[in-house]
Amino acid sequence: MERMEQIAFLNHILLEEMPQYREEAARFPRDAASQRRLLRGLMNLRPPLPLRADFLAVQDALLSAEREERGVVDAAALPAVRAHPRLSLWQGDITRLEADAIVNAANSALLGCFSPCHGCIDNAIHSAAGLQLRAECSRLMEAQGHAEPTGRAKLTRGYALPARYVLHTVGPIVHGGVTRADREALASCYRSCLSLAAERGLRSVAFCCISTGEFHFPNGEAAGIALKTVTDFLRHETSIEKVIFNVFKDIDADLYRALLGEPRPASAGPGPG
C-alpha cells in the first residue's frame, strides 16, 4: 500500500466506527498532509474499543515508516553531562528516543489526550505509539477501578515508538502558587518512574518536563526538583545506567544547562517551541 492508500484506509475504518465525525471529515482537503492530520485527530478521538487486525497492520506499517523518517535517536549514545556520568540532556522530540522507557506526563484518566491534534506530550506519545497504547492503558485502568493518583507510575509497552516501554505518571496541577504538596508530588513522579523502571530491570529512562505545560508548574522549580530527585535516586544501587532529561522548549534547555553546568551549544538557535 502507498502512503496515501494507508491513510485513506485507516480514515475509512475510523469513520465507520465513529460516523458522527463524517460530516466534519468531509471538509478536510484531499491532500496527503490534511488527510494525515485528519487521521491523527480521529485516532485521538477514538475510545478504547476492540481493534481490527487489518487496521493494526496498516497503522503499524504507517507509524513505523514515519518513525524512521523522523529519525531514531539512540539514548545510549547520547553524551553524558560533565557533572554526572549517568545523566544526559537532549533537546528534541521524545518520540524519537530509543530508550528502555520514555516518560509520559499523563492525566488521571491515563487514556491519552482526546483533544484532536493537541500539542501536549500525552497526545504526541499516543499518536506515535498507535491505538494499542490507549487500549493497554484502558485495561490497566479497568483493573485498577479508579483514577490514577498524582505521583504514581504505570508501565506499558511502547508499540510503534522506538522506546520499548512508556512510563505514565500524573503530575501535580498548580493553581496559583506552588505548595509544599505540589513539590512533594512532583518529586514522587520522578521517584515512582525510576522505582518502577528499576523493578523491571530497565537501564535507560528519558524524562519529559513533567507538569510544566498544561499543569502550570514553574519550569525552573520543576527542573530543580527533577534533577535533585534523579541524582538522589542514582546514589543507590539500581539497574538504571542512564537518565535522559528530554526538553523540547529552549526555556527548559537553558534551565537544565544552567543547573547542570553545561555550556549552550554555539550553534543553538531558536528551539522547536
Side-chain angles (χ1 to χ4, degrees), residues 106-110 144 146-153 168-174 181-190 192 210-211 215 217:
N107 57 53
S108 61
L110 219 73
Q144 178 166 282
H146 57 80
E148 181 71 1
T150 300
R152 306 279 184 86
H168 306 261
T169 189
V170 181
I173 302 173
V174 174
D182 293 331
R183 297 183 185 98
E184 291 174 350
L186 184 60
S188 180
C189 289
Y190 285 89
S192 295
I210 302 167
S211 278
F215 287 7
F217 207 110

Side-chain angles (χ1 to χ4, degrees), residues 119-141:
C120 67
I121 193 165
D122 199 11
N123 190 297
I125 287 174
H126 274 263
S127 296
L131 290 177
Q132 301 98 312
L133 182 56
R134 178 167 286 169
E136 184 176 353
C137 287
S138 179
R139 292 192 295 270
L140 289 173
M141 295 307 287

Side-chain angles (χ1 to χ4, degrees), residues 21-128:
Y21 298 116
R22 282 177 177 165
E23 184 177 347
E24 186 176 354
R27 294 196 288 267
F28 274 69
R30 305 305 300 175
D31 63 278
S34 298
Q35 289 298 300
R36 182 61 181 89
R37 183 171 179 82
L38 171 61
L39 174 58
R40 176 167 174 169
L42 291 171
M43 290 173 67
N44 296 157
L45 288 165
R46 185 186 186 275
L49 302 167
L51 291 158
R52 288 173 43 168
D54 56 350
F55 179 94
L56 290 179
V58 177
Q59 175 210 249
D60 291 352
L62 173 65
L63 295 179
S64 296
E66 291 178 340
R67 177 188 66 213
E68 298 308 312
E69 288 166 6
R70 286 194 303 273
V72 173
V73 176
D74 182 3
L78 293 174
V81 299
R82 294 180 297 180
H84 199 297
R86 292 159 75 184
L87 300 181
S88 293
L89 177 63
W90 185 72
Q91 185 173 10
D93 177 357
I94 200 169
T95 69
R96 295 177 59 202
L97 279 176
E98 186 177 10
D100 281 350
I102 61 171
V103 174
N104 179 30
N107 57 53
S108 61
L110 219 73
L111 296 179
C113 172
F114 282 84
S115 180
C117 301
H118 191 251
C120 67
I121 193 165
D122 199 11
N123 190 297
I125 287 174
H126 274 263
S127 296

